[in-house]
């Protein structure tokens, strides 16, 4: 073979290598572009899942005072410090009737909704401890006048069931009623519907709950023997809604089950390393945001992520669950009223 032939072979091999490298580069660039586009679409999708209500604007200044926040020296030295001040969040579980998924899970007909579960979540300064206070939905309260989205306002209602506030005036009236009853400013509002809750539990792979007694409730379609159970989303939701199969059939027995479920969910989230499983992380984020309504201070993925990061030091062991102290209402043995002075003392501790 001549030197000329050798040079030709080398040129051809060099050309093939060059084309192969170009093809690989184009493939890598294409994959990178697709990856960035997919990530961008996922962020946009999750961000647009979230529904919000401008509660601050609707209620104006007729509210309990905000806690005064004094930034620490270490925080001021950090470029973007995570918030560490105390926080009060009203968390509602609603039996929304909107959408087929909610109706199939027990939401009822095609219109209307009630606050099926109400919890005031108080996060201590430093965000390493929290108190979750459940408010029985059958509590009789004075429901304040609430602004309506269509204009005008509702009338003050005396001796009204607590969960009627959401029915007549939505999230704005729910927040105003809670603030009126407790004297505590709600910094944020979070609402999750039936479908969103069930999807969250399923995305986490289920939740483990231990019950101390048999549950036999035809209304919630839940039948469990006493003991430890791994529940999927549908059965976890049924547990949260169970009231007729335990105790005296009142809302008070159900609150105990809901508080068990809250602790179990926190433990499940803590034990699931979502950062090493992007697919599951996306499913969890999609489940959370799809059934979520917040105030405008939490209505973006960035704001929710900031809240989540600020709670990284909060473990389920440092979450205390209690119920607002109540007694049977003198006017109706099927209803309750706040037990004083215990109820006022509890709310005072959260201000």
């Amino acid at each position: 073979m001549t030197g000329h032939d050798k040079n030709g072979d080398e040129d051809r091999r060099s050309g093939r290598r060059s084309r192969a490298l170009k093809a690989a580069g184009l493939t890598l660039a294409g994959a990178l572009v697709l990856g960035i586009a997919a990530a961008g679409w996922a962020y946009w999708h999750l961000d647009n899942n979230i529904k919000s209500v401008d509660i601050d604007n609707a209620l104006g200044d007729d509210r309990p005072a905000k806690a005064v926040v004094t930034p620490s020296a270490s925080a001021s030295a950090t470029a973007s410090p995570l918030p560490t001040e105390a926080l009060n969040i009203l968390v509602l579980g609603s039996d929304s009737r909107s959408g087929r998924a909610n109706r199939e899970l027990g939401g009822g007909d095609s219109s209307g909704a009630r606050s099926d579960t109400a919890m005031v979540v108080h996060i201590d300064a430093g965000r390493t401890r929290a108190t979750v206070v459940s408010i029985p939905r059958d509590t009789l309260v004075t429901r304040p006048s609430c602004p309506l989205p269509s204009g005008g306002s509702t009338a003050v209602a005396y001796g009204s069931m607590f969960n009627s506030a959401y029915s007549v005036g939505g999230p704005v009236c729910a927040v105003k009623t809670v603030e009126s009853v407790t004297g505590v400013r709600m910094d944020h509002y979070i609402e999750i519907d039936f479908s969103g809750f069930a999807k969250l539990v399923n995305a986490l792979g289920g939740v483990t709950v231990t019950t101390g007694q048999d549950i036999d409730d035809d209304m919630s379609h839940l039948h469990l023997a006493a003991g430890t159970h791994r529940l999927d989303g549908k059965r976890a939701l049924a547990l949260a809604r169970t009231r007729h199969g335990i105790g005296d059939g009142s809302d008070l027995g159900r609150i105990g089950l809901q508080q068990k479920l809250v602790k179990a969910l926190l433990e499940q989230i803590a034990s699931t390393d979502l950062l090493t499983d992007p697919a599951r992380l996306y499913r969890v984020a999609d489940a959370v945001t799809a059934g979520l309504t917040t105030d405008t201070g939490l209505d973006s993925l960035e704001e929710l992520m900031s809240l989540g990061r600020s709670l990284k030091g909060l473990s389920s062991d440092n979450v205390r669950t209690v119920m607002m102290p109540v007694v049977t209402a003198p006017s109706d043995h099927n209803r309750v009223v706040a037990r004083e002075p215990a109820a006022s003392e509890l709310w005072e501790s959260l201000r």
Side-chain angles (χ1 to χ4, degrees):
M1 182 179 289
T2 66
H4 179 76
D5 292 335
K6 288 180 181 178
N7 289 338
D9 288 342
E10 289 176 359
D11 289 343
R12 283 193 292 273
R13 285 196 294 270
S14 176
R16 285 197 296 270
R17 283 196 300 269
S18 178
R19 288 193 294 273
L21 287 172
K22 284 181 180 178
L26 288 172
T27 301
L28 182 60
L32 185 60
V33 168
L34 287 174
I36 293 172
W41 178 88
Y43 189 96
W44 176 87
H45 173 73
L46 294 174
D47 208 47
N48 280 272
N49 268 347
I50 306 167
K51 300 178 287 291
S52 66
V53 179
D54 191 352
I55 290 171
D56 285 342
N57 185 59
L59 294 184
D61 297 327
D62 185 19
R63 307 177 66 183
K66 282 186 177 183
V68 176
V69 179
T70 304
S72 64
S74 59
S76 60
T78 306
S80 299
L82 290 173
T84 57
E85 72 277 6
L87 206 60
N88 291 301
I89 306 172
L90 175 60
V91 178
L92 292 188
S94 81
D95 63 349
S96 170
R97 272 83 163 159
S98 62
R100 187 178 70 178
N102 280 320
R103 293 195 296 273
E104 289 176 348
L105 288 168
D109 58 31
S110 60
S111 63
R114 296 163 298 182
S115 54
D116 206 53
T117 302
M119 298 178 177
V120 173
V121 179
H122 172 79
I123 302 165
D124 291 356
R127 306 208 175 177
T128 58
R129 306 186 70 84
T131 301
V132 179
V133 185
S134 296
I135 303 177
R137 69 177 193 173
D138 294 339
T139 305
L140 298 181
V141 300
T142 297
R143 191 181 69 226
S145 174
C146 299
L148 294 172
S150 57
S153 58
T154 65
V156 176
Y158 300 96
S160 180
M161 275 181 60
F162 169 75
N163 72 337
S164 69
Y166 186 95
S167 299
V168 302
V172 170
C173 197
V175 170
K176 186 164 186 179
T177 300
V178 168
E179 291 185 342
S180 175
V181 169
T182 67
V184 178
R185 171 78 170 238
M186 295 297 110
D187 299 295
H188 291 297
Y189 171 84
I190 295 176
E191 175 192 329
I192 189 165
D193 63 19
F194 280 5
S195 176
F197 177 81
K199 286 178 180 177
L200 170 60
V201 173
N202 286 335
L204 288 168
V207 62
T208 300
V209 176
T210 300
T211 61
Q213 63 183 100
D214 294 345
I215 296 175
D216 190 21
D217 190 345
D218 291 333
M219 298 294 290
S220 67
H221 307 292
L222 185 65
H223 304 278
L224 290 177
T228 301
H229 302 273
R230 186 72 174 177
L231 305 179
D232 63 7
K234 186 173 183 179
R235 293 212 300 167
L237 177 63
L239 182 69
R241 302 191 69 214
T242 289
R243 63 185 293 181
H244 299 288
I246 56 168
D248 60 1
S250 73
D251 194 44
L252 306 188
R254 174 168 59 179
I255 283 175
L257 293 177
Q258 291 172 347
Q259 291 177 341
K260 280 181 181 287
L261 198 52
V262 167
K263 298 275 281 191
L265 273 172
L266 290 173
E267 289 166 2
Q268 180 62 33
I269 292 170
S271 67
T272 305
D273 191 358
L274 297 175
L275 294 180
T276 63
D277 189 346
R280 175 176 281 191
L281 175 60
Y282 176 80
R283 289 196 299 272
V284 170
D286 191 36
V288 169
T289 56
L292 202 65
T293 301
T294 71
D295 65 287
T296 50
L298 286 179
D299 64 352
S300 74
L301 198 57
E302 182 179 350
E303 287 161 335
L304 286 173
M305 288 169 63
S306 176
L307 174 62
R309 288 194 299 268
S310 78
L311 302 178
K312 64 182 180 180
L314 178 64
S315 70
S316 62
D317 291 337
N318 289 329
V319 176
R320 180 173 66 114
T321 56
V322 298
M323 183 179 70
M324 182 181 79
V326 294
V327 295
T328 302
S331 59
D332 186 343
H333 72 276
N334 291 317
R335 303 287 180 259
V336 295
V337 293
R339 175 167 59 85
E340 297 296 357
S344 293
E345 290 169 354
L346 172 61
W347 299 125
E348 178 65 32
S349 71
L350 305 185
R351 293 187 188 125

